Amino acid sequence: KAGVTQTPRYLIKTRGQQVTLSCSPISGHRSVSWYQQTPGQGLQFLFEYFSETQRNKGNFPGRFSGRQFSNSRSEMNVSTLELGDSALYLCASSLPGVGAKNIQYFGAGTRLSVL
Amino acid sequence: AQTVTQSQPEMSVQEAETVTLSCTYDTSESDYYLFWYKQPPSRQMILVIRQEAYKQQNATENRFSVNFQKAAKSFSLKISDSQLGDAAMYFCAHTPYNFNKFYFGSGTKLNVKP
């Protein structure tokens, strides 16, 4: 079974631009979560999508948004990029429901650098 | 507040020896899961071990075991017979039982000396 796939692996943008990151979950997984990882703030939860709906949300400004498609693939968009948005963005997928016991499987991340 | 604290930014262990990584957490939830994830230089987070808070028995996975103290909100990871491949960042995390919203600690960098 293929793991969680994130594209691209690396991205360089300039301030003010926008960026879209993609995440393909493990086959059969319907929940996709996004995290921002920085040396200063560690791993912070951005949001979770399930069945094309945002189910949980972290404390990030509205410039950070996401969506999920009917095939469970998810995209994350950051508009009006700031230098502080430079980070590793991780995506994780899991089976839904209590029975799945909330194990999240992570992708290798997208390293975003904002110049 | 949902917080996770890892007080050891970096630790070292000799190959074949045992090391314990500390983690404390705070949550208002009565049911939750606790996890240890490993992040090697390849960046991909790998699940090491999982503990359900309603289970008193400590989880074990081969050389990895936890010491779960629910009242103290403590969840330490013990790695026995350390191997060079265990060198990585280790993150402690918890999530409420019915939510996929993980709270991570700041991580402990583990060095394994040959």
Side-chain angles (χ1 to χ4, degrees):
Chain A
K1 216 176 211 184
V4 178
T5 304
Q6 290 188 248
T7 55
R9 290 292 305 275
Y10 301 91
L11 209 46
I12 300 175
K13 292 285 187 180
T14 56
R15 279 183 299 174
Q17 287 187 310
Q18 75 165 18
V19 66
T20 299
L21 312 181
S22 180
C23 173
S24 294
I26 292 172
S27 177
H29 286 194
R30 293 167 59 195
S31 168
V32 174
S33 298
W34 289 89
Y35 295 85
Q36 181 194 66
Q37 185 177 18
T38 60
Q41 299 296 321
L43 273 148
Q44 293 187 286
F45 174 80
L46 279 154
F47 30 65
E48 182 218 3
Y49 284 86
F50 172 69
S51 291
E52 303 177 63
T53 301
Q54 189 179 87
R55 188 162 67 171
N56 289 294
K57 188 178 186 304
N59 297 322
F60 278 80
R63 298 186 298 107
F64 292 83
S65 63
R67 60 177 175 169
Q68 187 180 34
F69 302 95
S70 58
N71 62 357
S72 295
R73 190 178 71 85
S74 177
E75 287 182 347
M76 189 194 90
N77 185 76
V78 188
S79 62
T80 319
L81 283 166
E82 300 177 359
L83 294 178
D85 297 333
S86 295
L88 179 66
Y89 290 88
L90 292 168
C91 165
S93 75
S94 64
L95 292 166
V98 172
K101 298 185 179 179
N102 294 39
I103 295 176
Q104 294 205 334
Y105 298 86
F106 285 81
T110 294
R111 172 76 66 190
L112 172 64
S113 297
V114 182
L115 306 179
Chain B
Q2 311 269 5
T3 59
V4 179
T5 302
Q6 293 179 248
S7 58
Q8 307 148 316
E10 189 165 357
M11 295 190 71
S12 295
V13 64
Q14 208 70 35
E15 197 175 5
E17 293 189 345
T18 296
V19 65
T20 299
L21 309 184
S22 301
C23 172
T24 58
Y25 60 93
D26 190 19
T27 179
S28 55
E29 304 286 336
S30 55
D31 288 327
Y32 50 90
Y33 293 106
L34 294 159
F35 302 82
W36 279 97
Y37 276 89
K38 165 185 175 182
Q39 187 178 39
S42 66
R43 306 182 333 201
Q44 188 143 15
M45 299 276 278
I46 302 164
L47 177 67
V48 174
I49 200 164
R50 173 177 53 89
Q51 174 82 39
E52 290 144 294
Y54 62 87
K55 289 187 177 178
Q56 293 188 339
Q57 186 173 6
N58 289 325
T60 60
E61 285 289 343
N62 301 315
R63 299 183 293 106
F64 299 88
S65 61
V66 298
N67 183 3
F68 174 47
Q69 303 287 330
K70 190 172 185 179
K73 294 183 178 175
S74 169
F75 183 61
S76 61
L77 174 70
K78 184 170 85 171
I79 305 174
S80 304
D81 186 25
S82 296
Q83 300 175 0
L84 295 177
D86 294 334
M89 283 290 288
Y90 284 80
F91 292 93
C92 176
H94 80 78
T95 181
Y97 187 72
N98 287 325
F99 292 91
N100 276 343
K101 186 173 183 178
F102 278 51
Y103 298 89
F104 283 87
S106 54
T108 296
K109 183 179 180 183
L110 179 66
N111 303 304
V112 181
K113 299 176 181 178

